[in-house]
Structures are given as C-alpha cells and as structure tokens.
Amino acid sequence: MDFRSDTVTKPTQAMRTAMADAIVGDDVYGDDPTVNDLEQWAAQRHGFEAALFTTSGTQANLLGLMAHCQRGDEYLCGQQAHNYRYEAGGAAVLGSIQPQPIENNPDGTLDFDKLKAAIKPDDSHFARTRLLSLENTINGKVLPLDYLAQARQFVDTHGLQLHLDGARVYNAAVALNVDVIEIAKHFDSMTVCLSKGLSAPIGSLLLGDKAFIDRARRIRKMLGGGMRQAGILAAAGKLALTEQVAQLSVDHANAKTLAEGLSQIDGFHVNAEFVQTNIVFVKVDDDIDTQQLASKLAQDGITITPGNPLRFVTHKDVDANAITTLLAKINEFVA
Ligand SMILES: *Cc1c(COP(=O)(O)O)cnc(C)c1O
C-alpha cells in the first residue's frame, strides 16, 4: 500500500495486453501507427490542433516552455509551480528562459495584480515576458473555471501566451464534474500526464497548435526524447484516457475518507472539506515523529513519505480497504 504518489500506479491488465499487441513503427520517421493514433485522437479530444507524446511530464513542460519562449524570454508562474520548483530548473538551464514566480494564493491561483506588476516593459534592461504558466490541479487543489476565463482575458490583454501544466487536469475535470474541454479551451498549450492516476507506465502529452507542436517535436529530438517503437507505450497511454478517468472519482472519495479519518486522530490536523481531489495534506503536532511513523507503517507493508505536513496520495492501487488499514495503523501508532 503505497501512499507516496499516484505515480506508483501499475499498468492495468488491459494496458499490458494492448502493449503486447500494439502495431508499431519508427516514430522518429512518423511511422508508428499507435503513436500517431494517440496524438491525433488526443489533439481532437482536448480541442487542440496537434499533440506530442513525451517521455514525461517534465519533458512535456520543458518542450512547452521552449516552444513558446526564446532565449531571454520569461514565463510567469507560481512559486509552487512544478515547472518552476520541481523540474531541476530545466527551462533556465536548457532553454535560457527566465522564470518569474509569483506567490500562489492559498487556493493555488495567482493574483492578477501581482502578475501584471511582474510583466516587464519593452526595454533593453528586461527579459521579454511571453507566457503565463498555470497548474491544475495544484497540490491537489482545483482552479475554478471562472478563474481560468479571467486568466485567458488577462493574457489576451497583455499579449501573452497561456500554458497549463495539466499533469492532473483530469482530476480537476472529475472534481468539477465537467468535460476536460471546459478547462482546456482557455489555453494555448496544455500537458496531460498519462502515468499518474491514469496508470499508464510511462508518458505525457503536450497539446497545442500545429506550428507549436512542430517546434516542440524538434526540441524533443534535440533533448533525446525521440523514441522509436514507442507505440508500445502509446497503446497504454490511450487506455489511460479512455478507460481510467472514471477511477479518479473513486480516488477522490478515498482521499476524502482518509482525510475525515485522520482529522479524528489526536495530533493530526486536516479539514476534510478542503480535500478536492486525490491529495491529502495533514499537519501533525511536533511530538509526532513522522520518520518513526513511516518506519512503523513500513513494517505493515504501508509506504508513506515522512514530513510535516504529511502528504498522502490516493490512486487505483490503494482501495477503500487500504484506507481503512492505514487509518487503523496510524491510530495504533498514536495510541
Ligand atoms: C508529476 C508532475 C509533473 C512532472 O511529471 P513527470 O512525468 O514526473 O516528469 C509536472 N507537473 C505536475 C503538476 C506534476 O504533478
């Protein structure tokens, strides 16, 4: 029972079968029918002209940033943004693109007044502000649809492009009970992770217009991400989108149950009402040693990441029974 992340999900049996049977070709030549099918299908499904299958979400974000921005350009993003904080500075290192982070509001949004103040004037002292990059979900929180509409208006007013790190965009769509298009339609480009809660073994998608995806494809090759018989992976990736989305509402319900259970344990502080998707953050009192808790749980076959706040992530490989077991074991530890 692994609660560290939804990245730990194993491919489904249907995925393994589809991978074994996938018709493949050399994708660098554009010859892999299964990759081509996934890219064409995904573009249409999300309302974009084109799509690119990538090795990871980090690569998809980097390609997106590099395809939008030139050397000496900058992108606006959140302090907590994955593509600022957790991607080894790739945009700066490999793209010569300067990040301009803004403090995230508690709900994950970015304040438009602060964003506006961060846009650089057209002057040789400054980097050229080109792009606003948002993330949805961000730390398990869903950006409201009207906020996305305002973001679109903001970038149009200021002549910027709008990118979404949509690693968990399906969690957002499921939580809002809307089609993913209702989120995607506001953005010039978007990423989708196939290998988190959606359970494909490997891969993400980058979506955008045709010229943008053509630029991204060239950069992907440059970065060593041109894959050959990648249809083996794309076959699983398509099933992630066609068969696994429904699982996310189960994951969200399990996260809610977990949060409710944890909130009743002495020294554990979480408001279950604020848990919107599959990620639960819990503050614990200082006298609770989370390292010790993690070691104790490990003896029972339960894996968590120690820390304060503790972060638990639900996914298809931890069912309702696993939640019950986890809560019982934590109660035992605290007692
Ligand atoms: C996981 C994640 C990524 C990166 O995906 P990898 O496939 O792990 O490289 C990007 N953005 C967000 C919000 C993520 O959660």
Side-chain angles (χ1 to χ4, degrees):
M1 289 168 266
D2 193 337
F3 290 92
R4 289 172 301 173
S5 178
D6 45 9
T7 56
V8 302
T9 43
K10 305 274 169 51
T12 62
Q13 189 52 51
M15 286 175 179
R16 289 179 183 272
T17 303
M19 293 172 79
D21 295 343
I23 301 166
V24 296
D26 187 331
D27 181 52
V28 176
Y29 285 114
D31 283 351
D32 191 304
T34 308
V35 173
N36 292 341
D37 171 66
L38 172 64
E39 291 180 347
Q40 281 156 23
W41 180 86
Q44 197 181 29
R45 168 69 188 92
H46 300 94
F48 291 90
E49 280 178 17
L52 186 65
F53 184 54
T54 67
T55 59
S56 67
T58 299
Q59 187 181 66
N61 271 325
L62 178 60
L63 299 180
L65 294 170
M66 289 179 71
H68 279 302
C69 302
Q70 300 294 312
R71 298 178 69 199
D73 289 352
E74 78 171 2
Y75 66 107
L76 308 172
C77 61
Q79 276 287 352
Q80 294 169 25
H82 199 283
N83 63 25
Y84 169 59
R85 244 189 131 113
Y86 301 107
E87 296 182 6
V93 175
L94 299 167
S96 300
I97 305 160
Q98 165 171 291
Q100 168 61 70
I102 307 292
E103 204 61 54
N104 291 86
N105 293 323
D107 67 356
T109 60
L110 301 173
D111 192 278
F112 291 115
D113 289 333
K114 288 185 192 159
L115 286 169
K116 188 175 169 198
I119 296 175
K120 312 292 182 288
D122 182 7
D123 173 314
S124 62
H125 288 83
F126 302 115
R128 292 166 302 238
T129 311
R130 286 282 189 235
L131 177 73
L132 171 58
S133 177
L134 299 177
E135 184 173 318
N136 197 15
T137 62
I138 176 157
N139 294 326
K141 284 169 282 198
V142 180
L143 300 181
L145 290 178
D146 62 345
Y147 176 79
L148 302 184
Q150 288 165 32
R152 181 74 247 172
Q153 214 165 33
F154 176 86
V155 298
D156 287 343
T157 303
H158 297 285
L160 308 176
Q161 299 282 295
L162 187 59
H163 174 76
L164 183 67
D165 178 349
R168 293 192 183 88
V169 68
Y170 274 90
N171 294 87
V174 165
L176 291 168
N177 198 20
V178 299
D179 191 273
V180 70
I181 286 270
E182 295 305 313
I183 298 172
K185 69 181 185 187
H186 298 290
F187 293 88
D188 297 295
S189 60
M190 179 171 96
T191 66
V192 180
C193 184
L194 305 173
S195 71
K196 287 188 169 157
L198 298 178
S199 302
I202 296 174
S204 279
L205 290 164
L206 177 66
L207 302 144
D209 70 26
K210 170 99 175 40
F212 168 85
I213 292 296
D214 285 348
R215 292 197 297 279
R217 192 179 294 278
R218 175 181 291 268
I219 302 162
R220 187 187 66 172
K221 189 79 186 82
M222 188 194 299
L223 295 174
M227 298 180 284
R228 302 295 178 176
Q229 286 74 36
I232 286 194
L233 300 174
K238 185 156 180 198
L239 292 178
L241 296 172
T242 54
E243 296 196 348
Q244 293 307 121
V245 174
Q247 172 65 35
L248 301 181
S249 54
V250 177
D251 300 346
H252 296 178
N254 285 339
K256 187 75 97 176
T257 306
L258 175 60
E260 282 162 0
L262 289 169
S263 71
Q264 282 158 32
I265 301 176
D266 271 352
F268 284 65
H269 307 285
V270 52
N271 189 337
E273 272 177 48
F274 295 145
V275 173
Q276 295 173 286
T277 60
N278 67 328
I279 303 182
V280 180
F281 286 97
V282 189
K283 292 215 180 82
V284 298
D285 286 351
D286 287 339
D287 59 342
I288 293 169
D289 183 338
T290 63
Q291 192 70 58
Q292 225 179 344
L293 172 64
S295 305
K296 171 72 179 62
L297 292 175
Q299 290 168 14
D300 295 308
I302 299 171
T303 311
I304 66 162
T305 309
N308 194 5
L310 284 165
R311 187 186 87 148
F312 299 89
V313 185
T314 58
H315 51 79
K316 80 160 177 46
D317 295 335
V318 284
D319 61 10
N321 287 331
I323 305 294
T324 307
T325 306
L326 173 65
L327 286 169
K329 294 295 174 187
I330 296 179
N331 267 302
E332 228 172 76
F333 173 83
V334 172

